[in-house]
């Protein structure tokens, strides 16, 4: 049976410039050239192998052309030297296949008008593409055109290699971090690139041609199935291209390049060059930047989670599982540690680094998986992954005391507990609201080192909204008549109102606290009612005045 394909024609050569891409032309590319297309080529065998690269063209009329070949040649012949006997034909094809010839092209003009059955059968058995030409073709012209294409491809490959070296040299000179290095590697290669540490945690990545979920799902298991040598190489069931990241014999991790289609891994010399330079640039980055890779990875992952920058919940689960955080059958809790005033947050980065290291160490001692990272200047975030039976309070207490040991003015706030990783942003928001409602130096309960949501009463709620113009306007509108009267007349009605509200409307207690007679208190309360146009016997109006007075104290900076 003949599997002849009348040129299964690739796109015309004018439409695909292989040299511009910097890749060696394939058998299919050569067949598409006008000089070959003029001979009406037909693919008789080896249709599946037309993507073989053509490294040279060899015109031969010898009975043993293989002795002059080095592999990758497109062999052109008129068919004149083919042996008569089938055994000789098989030997001829076997020798071509043994040296990895790209394809055999036979002209059906002089000796043959159809390809011999023995030749077809032998090529089919060895998987060697056999192409016939129905019309006379100038083999010399074919050689010139294809060789020009090959040389152009090689020149472009050299230019691309030069661009690769220049790109990584520029990264090194400007002291780029691992994220920038991995990003450039993915851009230059068109493949997903991942940096992992020695325990197979994916720290930094740049996805290309797939989703984050596809790239990182079951990362540790897949990574452990892929061995690493001392030099860049392809290995493992998915055909990853990997290279160690090391310096003077000390290995810190490895960088992996994942094929776009795992079932058809394909890495060329340029991919190896990119990965070699990536590994070198990462080693330099490790020496330049003192921050451990893990700390940077935790920080970036927590920021993405807190700000909900993941494309999907599946991506988030894959990302955190690849960092070693359990994402199934776990409960999650966010803890924030704020270092204090805005001035301290922006100036004391050393304290933040010390605190981050201390919290990471304390979290490890608990045996509970956790990520620690700086979410903003002076604000650290901790994400705990608890088993269903574990209580979060002892861990929060331990981390809170560790934070206060490093920074006595720190505010530790605990968010809400959630059962799904995609809801963790809600836990971070709850912790942030508690922090916003907690003034520096806010006393803690005697048995706790952290603040939680039930601690937020009216005063701390108003403190959180102290910069809102509506709160400021309410306090001013409600109390300004009284404040203006005190200013003009030298009275202290505002203090009398405070005592009255604190005493829940008890006039005797108000008189005692203000060291006033009852008659004076009655007189002052009537004046207050007149100035504020209110009824102090009304519980609702007393509540409104209490809220306004509390807001005024906070706005004035009173404790």
């Amino acid at each position: 049976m003949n599997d002849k394909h009348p040129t299964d024609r690739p796109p015309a050569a004018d439409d695909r410039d292989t040299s511009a891409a910097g890749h060696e032309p394939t058998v299919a590319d050569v067949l598409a050239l006008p000089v070959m297309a003029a001979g009406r080529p037909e693919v008789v065998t080896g249709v599946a192998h037309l993507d073989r690269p053509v490294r040279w063209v060899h015109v031969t009329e010898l009975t043993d052309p293989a002795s002059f070949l080095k592999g990758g040649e497109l062999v052109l012949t008129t068919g004149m030297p083919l042996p008569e006997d089938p055994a000789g034909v098989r030997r001829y094809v076997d020798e071509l296949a043994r040296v990895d010839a790209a394809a055999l092209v036979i002209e059906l003009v002089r000796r043959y008008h159809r390809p011999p059955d023995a030749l077809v059968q032998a090529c089919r058995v060895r998987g060697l593409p056999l192409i016939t030409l129905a019309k006379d073709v100038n083999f010399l012209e074919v050689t010139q055109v294809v060789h020009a294409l090959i040389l152009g491809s090689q020149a472009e490959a050299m230019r691309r290699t030069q661009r690769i070296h220049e790109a990584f040299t520029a990264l090194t000179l400007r002291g780029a971090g691992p994220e920038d290095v991995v990003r450039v590697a993915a851009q230059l290669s068109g493949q997903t690139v991942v940096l992992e540490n020695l325990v197979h945690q994916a720290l930094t990545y740049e996805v290309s041609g797939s989703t984050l979920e596809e790239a990182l799902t079951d990362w540790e298991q897949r990574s452990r199935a892929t061995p690493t040598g001392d030099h860049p190489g392809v290995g493992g069931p998915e055909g990853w291209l990997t290279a160690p990241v090391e310096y003077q014999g000390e290995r810190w991790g490895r960088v992996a390049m994942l094929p776009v289609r795992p079932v058809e891994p394909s890495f060329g010399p340029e991919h190896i060059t990119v990965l070699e330079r990536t590994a070198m640039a990462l080693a330099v980055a490790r020496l330049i930047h003192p921050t451990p890779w893990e700390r940077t990875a935790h920080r970036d992952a927590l920021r993405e989670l807190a700000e909900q920058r993941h494309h999907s919940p599946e991506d988030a689960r894959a990302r955190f599982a690849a960092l070693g955080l359990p994402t199934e059958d776990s409960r999650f809790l966010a803890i924030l540690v704020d270092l204090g005033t805005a001035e301290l947050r922006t100036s004391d980065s050393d304290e933040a680094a010390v605190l981050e290291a201390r919290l990471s160490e304390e979290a490890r001692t608990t045996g509970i998986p956790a990520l620690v990272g700086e979410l903003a200047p002076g604000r650290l975030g901790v994400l705990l992954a608890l088993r269903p039976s574990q209580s979060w309070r002892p861990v929060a207490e331990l981390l809170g005391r560790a934070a206060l040991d490093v920074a006595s003015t720190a505010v530790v706030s605990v968010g809400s507990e959630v059962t799904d990783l995609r809801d963790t942003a809600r836990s971070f928001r709850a912790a942030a609201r508690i922090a916003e409602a907690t003034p520096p130096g806010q006393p803690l309960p005697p048995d706790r080192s952290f603040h939680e949501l039930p601690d937020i009463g009216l005063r701390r709620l108003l403190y959180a909204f102290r910069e809102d113009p509506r709160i400021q306007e309410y306090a001013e509108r409600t109390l300004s008549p009284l404040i203006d009267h005190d200013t003009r007349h030298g009275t202290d009605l505002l203090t009398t109102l405070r005592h009255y509200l604190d005493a829940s409307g008890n006039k005797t207690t108000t008189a005692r606290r203000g060291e006033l007679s009852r008659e004076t208190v009655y007189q002052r309360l009537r004046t207050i009612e007149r100035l504020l146009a209110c009824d102090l016997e009304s519980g609702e109006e007393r509540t409104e005045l209490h809220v306004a007075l509390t807001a005024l104290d906070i706005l004035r900076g009173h404790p």
Side-chain angles (χ1 to χ4, degrees):
M1 181 178 177
N2 197 323
D3 56 344
K4 188 179 291 186
H5 286 255
T7 46
D8 259 341
R9 254 193 204 181
D14 293 341
D15 296 332
R16 42 193 279 167
D17 182 1
T18 57
S19 65
H23 299 295
E24 293 173 314
T26 64
V27 175
D29 295 327
V30 173
L31 296 182
L33 293 170
V35 66
M36 285 291 285
R40 289 165 50 192
E42 292 184 346
V43 182
V44 180
T45 67
V47 175
H49 303 296
L50 295 183
D51 58 350
R52 288 181 177 177
V54 175
R55 298 187 175 91
W56 209 245
V57 177
H58 187 74
V59 181
T60 182
E61 298 300 340
L62 299 176
T63 57
D64 61 339
S67 59
F68 296 92
L69 304 180
K70 295 184 178 180
E73 291 88 355
L74 183 74
V75 179
L76 305 179
T77 181
T78 62
M80 299 299 291
L82 281 178
E84 293 286 350
D85 60 304
V89 171
R90 286 196 296 274
R91 243 186 341 267
Y92 182 90
V93 173
D94 286 345
E95 291 176 0
L96 291 178
R98 193 173 300 117
V99 297
D100 291 326
L104 174 63
V105 179
I106 181 171
E107 193 180 68
L108 301 180
V109 176
R110 292 168 178 81
R111 180 177 177 185
Y112 298 106
H113 296 288
R114 60 183 300 272
D117 292 340
L119 180 64
V120 174
Q121 181 61 26
C123 288
R124 182 178 294 120
V125 169
R126 296 305 301 264
L128 179 68
L130 174 63
I131 296 101
T132 63
L133 299 175
K135 297 181 66 177
D136 191 17
V137 169
N138 187 328
F139 284 175
L140 178 58
E141 187 180 355
V142 171
T143 302
Q144 291 174 333
V145 172
V146 176
H147 286 179
L149 196 63
I150 293 170
L151 293 174
S153 171
Q154 292 172 348
E156 176 59 24
M158 292 178 64
R159 287 191 291 269
R160 283 179 57 84
T161 299
Q162 181 63 25
R163 287 196 292 269
I164 290 169
H165 287 299
E166 290 173 352
F168 282 103
T169 299
L171 286 173
T172 301
L173 289 176
R174 68 181 175 87
E179 304 92 338
D180 292 332
V181 174
V182 169
R183 185 180 305 110
V184 169
Q187 291 170 349
L188 291 173
S189 65
Q191 312 281 343
T192 292
V193 178
V194 181
L195 169 65
E196 66 172 13
N197 61 11
L198 295 177
V199 293
H200 301 277
Q201 293 175 344
L203 304 178
T204 304
Y205 62 90
E206 185 70 25
V207 177
S208 178
S210 65
T211 65
L212 180 61
E213 180 187 8
E214 292 169 341
L216 296 186
T217 294
D218 298 326
W219 176 263
E220 182 179 347
Q221 177 183 352
R222 294 158 60 207
S223 177
R224 291 185 181 278
T226 304
T228 300
D230 295 329
H231 305 284
V234 177
E238 297 180 38
W240 290 3
L241 177 62
T242 61
V245 180
E246 57 190 3
Y247 178 73
Q248 293 185 343
E250 182 181 3
R251 185 168 294 188
W252 295 314
R254 72 172 175 177
V255 59
M257 188 178 288
L258 280 55
V260 175
R261 294 180 297 277
V263 293
E264 299 178 12
S266 178
F267 294 113
E270 287 182 13
H271 294 101
I272 295 175
T273 300
V274 168
L275 204 67
E276 286 176 336
R277 289 305 310 266
T278 301
M280 293 171 59
L282 287 169
V284 173
R286 176 85 179 203
L287 295 170
I288 293 175
H289 299 284
T291 304
W293 287 341
E294 288 79 6
R295 187 177 299 175
T296 302
H298 291 186
R299 177 202 65 197
D300 293 344
L302 288 175
R303 288 180 180 179
E304 290 174 2
L305 193 63
E307 298 168 14
Q308 294 184 299
R309 286 192 272 124
H310 285 288
H311 292 298
S312 67
E314 292 74 22
D315 280 1
R317 280 192 284 269
R319 169 74 166 125
F320 280 83
L323 278 175
L325 194 78
T327 57
E328 303 294 336
D329 299 323
S330 295
R331 292 158 32 247
F332 303 96
L333 184 76
I335 300 175
L336 294 182
V337 180
D338 284 87
L339 289 180
T341 65
E343 293 77 11
L344 182 58
R345 289 182 182 181
T346 56
S347 65
D348 207 345
S349 58
D350 290 341
E351 187 176 36
V354 171
L355 179 57
E356 186 174 357
R358 174 70 181 276
L359 292 176
S360 298
E361 183 60 33
E362 292 292 346
R364 276 194 292 272
T365 64
T366 66
I368 294 175
L371 299 185
V372 181
E374 190 176 36
L375 300 180
R379 169 171 283 186
L380 298 178
V382 181
L383 179 63
L384 301 177
L386 301 135
R387 293 190 299 273
S389 59
Q390 286 178 314
S391 171
W392 60 263
R393 286 187 174 275
V395 186
E397 180 66 24
L398 178 67
L399 296 180
R401 295 201 179 282
L404 293 174
D405 283 346
V406 175
S408 59
T409 60
V411 173
V412 182
S413 53
V414 177
S416 54
E417 192 178 47
V418 296
T419 57
D420 196 307
L421 187 68
R422 63 184 171 185
D423 298 326
T424 308
R426 190 171 72 235
S427 185
F428 276 109
R429 283 197 298 271
R433 286 171 182 160
I434 295 168
E436 291 164 3
T438 305
Q442 176 72 33
L444 280 160
D447 58 339
R448 267 198 283 126
S449 62
F450 57 86
H451 301 270
E452 55 182 325
L453 199 58
D455 298 333
I456 308 303
L458 174 63
R459 181 172 295 275
R460 289 175 64 174
L461 182 65
L462 291 172
Y463 176 81
F465 290 101
R466 64 193 180 280
E467 296 178 359
D468 191 319
R470 291 170 294 183
I471 296 294
Q472 299 171 12
E473 189 273 338
Y474 177 76
E476 178 66 16
R477 171 173 50 84
T478 304
L479 298 175
S480 61
L482 202 59
I483 298 172
D484 292 343
H485 183 277
D486 282 343
T487 301
R488 287 194 306 270
H489 299 88
T491 55
D492 197 11
L493 296 178
L494 192 67
T495 299
T496 302
L497 177 62
R498 186 192 310 281
H499 290 159
Y500 178 74
L501 295 175
D502 289 342
S504 301
N506 187 300
K507 297 180 179 64
T508 301
T509 303
T510 301
R512 184 174 67 253
R513 290 181 176 177
E515 298 180 351
L516 302 171
S517 66
R518 288 174 58 87
E519 291 74 12
T520 302
V521 167
Y522 291 150
Q523 180 184 358
R524 289 190 177 189
L525 292 179
R526 285 195 296 271
T527 303
I528 291 171
E529 287 180 321
R530 177 175 57 79
L531 291 171
L532 299 183
C534 66
D535 178 8
L536 293 179
E537 295 298 323
S538 167
E540 180 178 350
E541 294 194 37
R542 281 209 305 266
T543 300
E544 291 174 355
L545 291 170
H546 182 70
V547 170
L549 190 56
T550 303
L552 181 66
D553 288 342
I554 291 169
L555 294 170
R556 286 179 168 180
H558 294 171

